[in-house]
Structure formats: structure tokens, C-alpha cells
Amino acid sequence: MTTSTLSRTGPWPDAARPDSASADGAAPKEILHFIGGAYVAGGGGRRFENRSPVDGSLVSLVHEASRADVDAAVAAARAALSGPWGRMTVQERVDRLHKVAEGILRRFDAFLAAEIADTGKPQSLASHIDIPRGAANFAVFADVVKNVPTEFFELATPDGAGALNYARRGPKGVIAVISPWNLPLLLMTWKVGPALACGNTVVVKPSEETPTTAALLGEVMNEAGIPPGVYNVVHGFGPDSAGEFLTTHPGVDAITFTGETRTGEAIMKAAATGVRAVSFELGGKNPAVVFADCDLDKAIEGTLRSAFANCGQVCLGTERIYVERPIFDAFVARLKAGAEALVPGHPFASGTSLGPLISREHRDKVLSYYARAIADGATLVTGGGVPDMPAELAGGSWVQPTIWTGLPDDSAVVREEIFGPCCHIRPFDSEEEAVALANDTPYGLAAAVWTENLGRAHRVAGRIGAGIVWVNSWFLRDLRTAFGGSKHSGIGREGGVHSLEFYTELKNICVKL
Ligand code: NAD
Ligand code: 6OD
């Protein structure tokens, strides 16, 4: 394995900008692994292209980890557990994690440029959600871990002396973090923050589509005084590549994964060897239930966001909308107008409100559902194809925001996660029917309920089978709360003390007095 301090190559903002890859005729920028506190090229010599979803231009060449590179990353993480990191007090760890949060904010523009280069998402979105949450994920969990109480029981013993029981939490060990491409920094740090707060070390495998912010975070870790080996990053794909090498590695103690349900199934099989713990945040087919007594302005505004934000590539996004019949036509007309007002364009152009899909491959998948909807008898309310884009963006992965009505409840378009800017709207006639429709899915991640009737809001929220139900809002997040899905949407909950449940081993100590 070769090592480099990355002077010219690396995940810097200039390198990350889509138009800078080889504008000066120089070699394209390269994304290296981050192992033991240093950027390394890895031993295999294989690299793959990272292309911009905005225009198809080359963003960078990414080094693909070999099995030996993953071995090295896991070994570095294991060694760091018993080094200075393992000897730090909670307060010392907490101080460093706050420095990581500050470091992300100090380099806000670099993270923003890197995230946008990889995903093509509008600047307004990335600057309000992705990057601030990247920082918050360290600051919040540093505070959570500092303030967590422990349990304590006094036991009567036959000799009358008694015994004290108390619980101590220790790190689980080396945690594999496998993350997706839709909110790359946010979803990766949502796992790395609590894992490090609890004293673990991590090996991160970011999505092959979005390697850059995970790489850039290595620099921040070093600046914040996080010891070498605590945060490691290996790049590559899933099967027969870095993802599989990492999840099958016997040196990994637990796996936290965010991504597709089918990938979760493969990782769960890998985790069975060595009975390693898993935490899974998987797919969704999330309903919104809109009652006639809702505040329609708010329901339209919220549903426009939940269906189309991030070009529909949000696991919590709404793809099924159930609207009470008296307001059905008005709702459809207003959502149509809102969707048609979205402006696809360059992420840095003022006025852009819709980015591209992550890749041409993903666009093919989304467009196949657009065709399937028509084949299944949908009425196309708006969209359904590819927008006309200016010549310089024609190489991107653009699709139109799309709304259908009239599909049968058993259509694949209504049952399967599409992960694009699209939704189906169907009328309902009673609360009972609305709940039944919302629950008619193998998934159980999130739901939104729109009503001004307080009793109904609580009643319906309680009956919907999902890990998160928003009432009169969407994606309003408090990181202290439980987050996760039921059924095919995941295993376990993270957030606040729930993250500590996964990232620590609880030990009971019984002291005979
Ligand atoms: P994906 O499952 O294809 O990939 C996710 C990650 O897993 C990537 O890093 C990938 O390289 C890796 N991977 C793939 N196969 C693997 C294997 N066999 N072993 C180990 N690693 C492997 O998901 P995606 O396309 O990147 O993301 C979109 C999906 O993620 C959607 O289904 C979406 O709903 C889901 N998601 C869920 C949540 C949530 O919180 N529930 C959040 C975001 C995304
Ligand atoms: O907000 C979060 O913590 C979170 N995990 C969001 C997931 C979004 C899915 O795309």
C-alpha cells in the first residue's frame, strides 16, 4: 500500500467542482482511502470514475479498496481502540467531537462544493440540510453521551449486608458504517457521530456515487485531534468490493447500514457469521394522509417538499398520497401547479429548485416506473418524462416531477419504492379506509398526516404502522428522538439514547457490600 499526504490530489473543493476535473488539461483529481489518519492509494491500483449527475462530466477518479486495504483499515481501527482514544475520558472525547463539528462548519464551502459535485443537488438544499446536519450529528451526540444517566439497583442479601448493582456502558468496538448516496454527509455522520461519542472506532464505506465528503472529513478529524485509526474510509462498491470485504470482515464488531432493503438482506447474512449486531435504515413507500379539515396551504407546501425534495431521493419521502374526497380535485390541481413550478437547473444557479437524479442508471429505473404507471392505467397529471435542458446540462440525469392518479392499489408503482420525484394520489372516504390504505405496504418507515382535528391527528398517527409519523409537517427532526423503520424498512432505532443502545455494550457490575 502506498501512502500520500495528498497535496494535489484529494477531495478539495476545487477538485470537487464538476467543471474542474481536467479543465486545465491536468490529470483528473483522485479520491483516496483514509486509513490510520493518512490518505492512502491502496494496493490494488484499481480506480473508478465519479461522474457529475448534472452534466456527466468527470468529477474525480476514486481508488477502489482491495481486500488488503479493508484489512488495513480494520486493523487501524482495532489498534486505535486500545490507543489514546480508548484511554480518553468521556469529556476529552466530547471536546474533540465538538471540534469536528466546528471543523465541518469552518470548511462549510468545501463540504458544500464536494457534496454538490457528487450529487448535483441544489445549493439551497445542501446548504440548509446536508452540511449543517453533518456538523450537528457530532455536536448533538457529544452532548447526548455526556448526559446519559446510568441505572442503579440496591439488592437485599441474606446476610443483611446488601449489594449494589450499577450499569456501565463501553464501546462495542470496530463499527462498519455503510452509507448511501442520497444525503451522503448527513447519513454517514449520523452514524459516525454517535459511534465515536460512545468510544468506538469506525471504518466507513461511503456510496461509490458520493465518496468525496467522507474523504474530506478525514482532514477535519486530524485537525480536531481525533487519533489516527479512529475514523477510516475505504472506497468501492458493494458485492465483491469494499462493501462486502468490510461487512464479512471478522474484525468488525457491528454493522450500521443505510440503503436498500435488498442490500440489507445481503448484509444481514454476512453479519450472521460471528453473530455481529446490525442496525438497518432501509427503504420506504411512505404515505401522506390528507384530511378535508387540513390547512390546505400547509398540506400542499409540505407535500411538495416530501414528494420532490432532493429530486424525490429521500427515504422518508412521500410516494403515496391519500386525500379525502371533498378536497381531492383541489389538492391534485394545487400539487400539479406546485410540481410544475419547480425549476430544474445547475445547482449553483439562482432559482434552481430541482436537481438531477444521482445517475443515468437510477434514471433508467425511475423512467421504467414512469412507463409502468401508464401501462397500469394511470392518469398522468403532470410530468412523466425527461425535461428539455440546456445543451451544457444535457448529459445529466434529469427527470420531470411526476404525479399520477387512478392506479390500482396493487400496481408496482404504488407498492415499490421508486426513489424519484413522483407520487400517486388516491381519494378516500373515511378515516378507517385512510388508515387501511396507508398501512397496505410491506414498508414501515415514515408517514405524514394532515388534519386540523387534534383527536384525529393523534388517533391516526397511533394507528399508522411506521417508525416516524409527522402531523402537519415533514422531515422536522429532533436528533434526540428515536429514528428508524419497521417491517421492510429496517431493524432497530437510532437517535438520542437509542443510538447509545446500539453503539455500546452494557455491563452490569454487582458489588457485595
Ligand atoms: P444501496 O443499498 O444500493 O447502497 C447503499 C450502500 O451499500 C452503498 O455504499 C453500497 O455500495 C453498499 N452496498 C451495496 N451492496 C452491498 C453489499 N452486498 N455488501 C455491503 N455493502 C453493499 O442503496 P442506495 O441506492 O445507495 O440508496 C438508496 C436506498 O437507500 C433507498 O432504498 C433508500 O430508501 C434507502 N435509504 C434509507 C434511509 C433510511 O433512513 N431508512 C436513508 C437513506 C436511504
Ligand atoms: O434525519 C436523519 O437522521 C435521517 N437518518 C434521515 C434519513 C433520510 C433518508 O433519506
Side-chain angles (χ1 to χ4, degrees):
M1 180 178 299
T2 55
T3 0
S4 144
T5 50
L6 262 195
S7 50
R8 203 179 99 13
T9 58
W12 321 135
D14 284 349
R17 225 161 264 135
D19 58 0
S20 77
S22 17
D24 58 359
K29 304 299 189 280
E30 301 194 15
I31 303 290
L32 308 187
H33 314 299
F34 185 75
I35 299 177
Y39 288 98
V40 300
R46 277 162 59 152
R47 296 176 301 175
F48 59 93
E49 289 183 347
N50 174 23
R51 290 201 167 266
S52 165
V54 171
D55 57 8
S57 63
L58 187 64
V59 174
S60 57
L61 288 174
V62 186
H63 286 246
E64 183 181 356
S66 64
R67 205 179 277 278
D69 299 330
V70 174
D71 284 348
V74 174
R78 169 92 23 221
L81 281 171
S82 49
W85 182 245
R87 293 192 292 274
M88 276 182 200
T89 62
V90 172
Q91 186 60 51
E92 286 169 334
R93 278 206 311 269
V94 161
D95 290 345
R96 280 167 177 74
L97 293 178
H98 277 294
K99 284 196 179 125
V100 173
E102 289 156 18
I104 292 173
L105 295 179
R106 207 169 34 248
R107 288 166 168 252
F108 194 96
D109 290 346
F111 277 99
L112 187 67
E115 203 74 312
I116 289 172
D118 282 355
T119 62
K121 62 179 76 193
Q123 179 183 19
S124 51
L125 184 70
S127 61
H128 280 101
I129 295 185
D130 300 70
I131 312 306
R133 262 297 299 278
N137 286 336
F138 288 99
V140 167
F141 285 104
D143 291 340
V144 167
V145 86
K146 209 171 72 175
N147 293 311
V148 71
T150 189
E151 63 183 32
F152 176 86
F153 295 104
E154 215 170 331
L155 179 71
T157 53
D159 64 2
L164 303 179
N165 284 286
Y166 65 94
R168 287 191 71 156
R169 285 186 184 277
K172 217 161 215 164
V174 175
I175 311 286
V177 178
I178 313 275
S179 48
W181 43 257
N182 59 324
L183 303 164
L185 181 69
L186 186 161
L187 289 172
M188 185 260 297
T189 54
W190 161 247
K191 307 308 185 106
V192 173
L196 297 195
C198 294
N200 300 284
T201 59
V202 297
V203 180
V204 173
K205 209 297 282 173
S207 169
E208 55 274 25
E209 307 279 3
T210 53
T212 314
T213 45
L216 186 51
L217 189 59
E219 279 245 314
V220 172
M221 292 284 177
N222 283 348
E223 288 164 5
I226 302 291
V230 171
Y231 173 80
N232 306 277
V233 184
V234 289
H235 299 288
F237 303 86
D240 202 25
S241 184
E244 184 182 320
F245 301 154
L246 183 57
T247 51
T248 55
H249 200 293
V252 164
D253 296 301
I255 303 167
T256 181
F257 167 71
T258 308
E260 279 193 30
T261 301
R262 234 169 306 151
T263 312
E265 288 171 352
I267 291 177
M268 201 163 175
K269 285 182 192 148
T273 306
V275 272
R276 276 96 47 80
V278 294
S279 172
F280 283 171
E281 294 180 17
L282 308 176
K285 187 73 181 177
N286 310 304
V289 179
V290 187
F291 287 95
D293 61 17
C294 73
D295 178 325
L296 192 55
D297 289 342
K298 287 186 188 152
I300 291 291
E301 186 275 330
T303 309
L304 274 172
R305 281 193 300 117
S306 72
F308 303 120
N310 208 35
C311 202
Q313 303 165 117
V314 182
C315 60
L316 308 160
T318 303
E319 291 191 0
R320 298 181 292 138
I321 305 175
Y322 301 107
V323 181
E324 203 167 7
R325 201 172 297 274
I327 61 163
F328 182 79
D329 289 344
F331 185 93
V332 172
R334 289 191 57 181
L335 203 72
K336 172 183 190 293
E340 289 174 354
L342 293 169
V343 181
H346 194 281
F348 289 104
S350 70
T352 293
S353 49
L354 192 74
L357 293 171
I358 191 68
S359 64
R360 282 294 179 106
E361 190 189 7
H362 186 50
R363 184 171 77 167
D364 289 346
K365 176 185 161 188
V366 171
L367 289 176
S368 76
Y369 281 102
Y370 283 16
R372 178 71 186 267
I374 301 307
D376 284 357
T379 298
L380 183 65
V381 176
T382 187
V386 172
D388 285 333
M389 299 300 290
E392 67 275 15
L393 302 182
S397 328
W398 306 93
V399 283
Q400 289 176 321
T402 294
I403 301 173
W404 308 281
T405 57
L407 279 167
D409 295 330
D410 63 354
S411 165
V413 177
V414 181
R415 300 203 66 78
E416 297 170 11
E417 181 185 55
I418 301 172
F419 223 53
C422 54
C423 56
H424 177 250
I425 316 181
R426 180 206 196 282
F428 69 84
D429 293 299
S430 69
E431 189 178 305
E432 201 58 31
E433 185 190 10
V435 170
L437 288 167
N439 285 338
D440 182 18
T441 172
Y443 292 105
L445 186 56
V449 179
W450 298 91
T451 176
E452 293 294 297
N453 177 327
L454 193 59
R456 165 177 280 159
H458 287 290
R459 216 167 36 237
V460 173
R463 292 181 66 197
I464 289 183
I468 307 139
V469 180
W470 279 288
V471 175
N472 297 331
S473 65
W474 179 74
F475 211 164
L476 194 53
R477 292 281 289 116
D478 179 333
L479 304 193
R480 297 168 300 182
T481 61
F483 182 98
S486 56
K487 300 197 279 183
H488 291 193
S489 291
I491 295 180
R493 295 291 182 274
E494 296 199 31
V497 294
H498 310 285
S499 294
L500 308 192
E501 293 296 335
F502 180 71
Y503 293 108
T504 59
E505 286 293 349
L506 197 56
K507 180 193 305 185
N508 186 69
I509 298 177
C510 179
V511 184
K512 174 79 168 54
L513 298 177

